[in-house]
Amino acid sequence: MAESSSISRVLRHPAASAESLESIALLLGAAFFVVGGAISFVVFWGRDLPISGPGSLGEYVGIGGAVTALIAFILGRVLMGRHRHPAVLHNASPGLDMPGARLHWFDVAALAVAHGAIALLGWIGLANLLERSFVGAVVFPLAGAILAGVAFAVTSYVSFLSSVHLTPMLLSLVLATFLVVGALAAMLSASDPQWWKMNLSALGMSDEASALAFNVTLIVAGAMVTIIARYATASLPTRTRQELRGRNLLRLGLILIGIFLACVGIFPVDEFFAVHNTVATGMAVIFAGLVVGLRWLVPAMPRVFVLLGYVFVGVIVLLAIFFAVGYYNLTAVELVAGVLIFSWIIVFLRSAGSMQVHGSPAAMAAEGAAVTAADMRTGPDASASDPVPVSS
């Protein structure tokens, strides 16, 4: 009786505490195990399954895992939106409940697609590895149904918890994982094994599945960068008008990097050569501008991080020189530059989070109100030397 009442209490108040969210994740995983396993048994009945390849268990689990990740992630965001308990929101999602940074429906859609793609490519990749380990083995229907149910349960559990515990740092890790698995999938499925002799954008030139995977990866990743841009800058101090202006310029630059990254996928190089190269170059130029100007945009930024940005830009410039003299090809330069840029963004999230002056969202809202009040009082009667109010 006590256990049933406990479960019913969790179902009535799913976001009352971190423990209740964990319980909901477990119940969701159990539901996907039962339903997914039952459906899989019906689908697999009467035939033995190869581990990997067309019509295999790996392909089935990959597609089903992608759908499972999508559903679980969206359920998590709906749950957090409808049960906005202040304590659990602060503990489960620090950094996502602050002024000027809110997930919109298209943000949730992009993140859900990213989780689904990670599940799809992850399970298919694992199946390919197991196929090489168990050469010639097949999976019986009952065992296949159980394995599929377990895969769906694990996927839903991880995706749901990722959704309800979403933080700026977790966003950056999802972005990095998504970019890696998407790029690897495009590389492994490319029909031309010598694509790397041209440039990285050659992966998106054909009408094959590899081109679709590459371009969709860039588009979704660009949308994720724009999401990260809002949360990466939301915790920066804005106690003066200068700090507020610098924060807004930094946010705009990061958003433009995300937009340009998406445009690299929207405009393939073989069809839109000028536009493709313009947005790709513009992304690198904006990144260099942010690194060079970071000292003035965010004066409180740790000096070590500022110097790290200078080193990254210096390495990219050195690689560009190597390409110009024919020592490196363009693919190598693009790969290293991409890794450095997204590494900088991830480390920036850590550095910006450590600069949060006031711990609670309410205090940050009060700080923003103080800056707004300072802007409103600026007028003919206000002295240029008047101090700007700072919240205490």
Side-chain angles (χ1 to χ4, degrees):
M1 180 68 69
E3 292 182 358
S4 62
S5 62
S6 176
I7 293 177
S8 62
R9 184 167 60 252
V10 167
L11 293 176
R12 288 197 306 270
H13 306 286
S17 65
E19 291 79 7
S20 63
L21 289 175
E22 182 72 22
S23 298
I24 290 295
L26 291 172
L27 291 174
L28 186 64
F32 272 103
F33 173 78
V34 173
V35 176
I39 295 175
S40 301
F41 184 72
V42 174
V43 173
F44 298 160
W45 179 256
R47 62 190 180 98
D48 297 334
L49 301 167
I51 297 176
S52 180
S56 65
L57 176 64
E59 183 182 66
Y60 176 86
V61 169
I63 296 174
V67 175
T68 299
L70 281 167
I71 296 174
F73 187 88
I74 293 174
L75 285 177
R77 295 317 306 171
V78 170
L79 178 66
M80 296 303 290
R82 293 185 176 180
H83 299 272
R84 301 186 65 84
H85 193 283
V88 73
L89 282 175
H90 178 69
N91 293 329
S93 304
L96 293 190
D97 187 34
M98 55 180 58
R102 182 174 64 87
L103 286 178
H104 302 281
W105 68 267
F106 44 85
D107 298 329
V108 175
L111 291 172
V113 169
H115 281 75
I118 292 173
L120 171 67
L121 300 174
W123 287 120
I124 290 179
L126 179 60
N128 289 333
L129 178 62
L130 292 175
E131 174 74 22
R132 297 172 183 266
S133 302
F134 299 93
V135 178
V138 294
V139 183
F140 298 149
L142 179 58
I146 294 175
L147 290 173
V150 170
F152 297 156
V154 171
T155 302
S156 66
Y157 177 81
V158 173
S159 184
F160 178 83
L161 289 181
S162 174
S163 179
V164 299
H165 292 282
L166 206 56
T167 63
M169 189 60 195
L170 183 57
L171 281 175
S172 66
L173 294 178
V174 171
L175 170 64
T177 305
F178 177 66
L179 281 172
V180 169
V181 297
L184 286 178
M187 294 175 189
L188 293 174
S189 59
S191 59
D192 182 10
Q194 304 295 320
W195 64 267
W196 55 271
K197 291 185 176 181
M198 293 181 286
N199 51 62
L200 195 60
S201 298
L203 289 172
M205 287 171 47
S206 66
D207 296 329
E208 301 173 351
S210 60
L212 179 63
F214 181 76
N215 292 329
V216 170
T217 296
L218 294 181
I219 294 171
V220 177
M224 293 179 65
V225 171
T226 63
I227 301 172
I228 291 174
R230 299 201 302 274
Y231 291 108
T233 56
S235 61
L236 293 178
T238 55
R239 294 163 294 185
T240 66
R241 285 187 294 272
Q242 181 181 359
E243 288 180 342
L244 180 62
R245 189 182 308 112
R247 193 276 304 271
N248 291 338
L249 288 174
L250 179 61
R251 177 179 292 180
L252 176 61
L254 291 172
I255 290 175
L256 286 177
I257 289 178
I259 293 174
F260 285 178
L261 179 63
C263 288
V264 171
I266 295 173
F267 303 104
V269 66
D270 58 333
E271 299 180 19
F272 307 92
F273 180 81
V275 177
H276 180 94
N277 287 342
T278 299
V279 293
T281 304
M283 186 168 54
V285 171
I286 292 175
F287 168 73
L290 290 180
V291 170
V292 174
L294 186 61
R295 184 177 177 182
W296 293 273
L297 294 175
V298 187
M301 184 63 67
R303 183 61 58 87
V304 174
F305 178 74
V306 175
L307 294 177
L308 178 67
Y310 293 160
V311 172
F312 281 9
V313 171
V315 171
I316 294 174
V317 171
L318 180 62
L319 291 176
I321 294 175
F322 285 165
F323 167 70
V325 299
Y327 185 71
Y328 275 176
N329 69 354
L330 185 56
T331 303
V333 177
E334 290 176 329
L335 280 174
V336 176
V339 169
L340 291 179
I341 290 175
F342 287 105
S343 297
W344 184 87
I345 293 176
I346 293 173
V347 178
F348 173 76
L349 280 169
R350 300 285 297 179
S351 300
S354 67
M355 294 171 55
Q356 187 166 336
V357 180
H358 305 291
S360 66
M364 295 191 66
E367 182 182 71
V371 175
T372 304
D375 291 337
M376 294 178 62
R377 63 187 288 273
T378 303
D381 298 331
S383 171
S385 61
D386 286 345
V388 177
V390 180
S391 60
S392 57

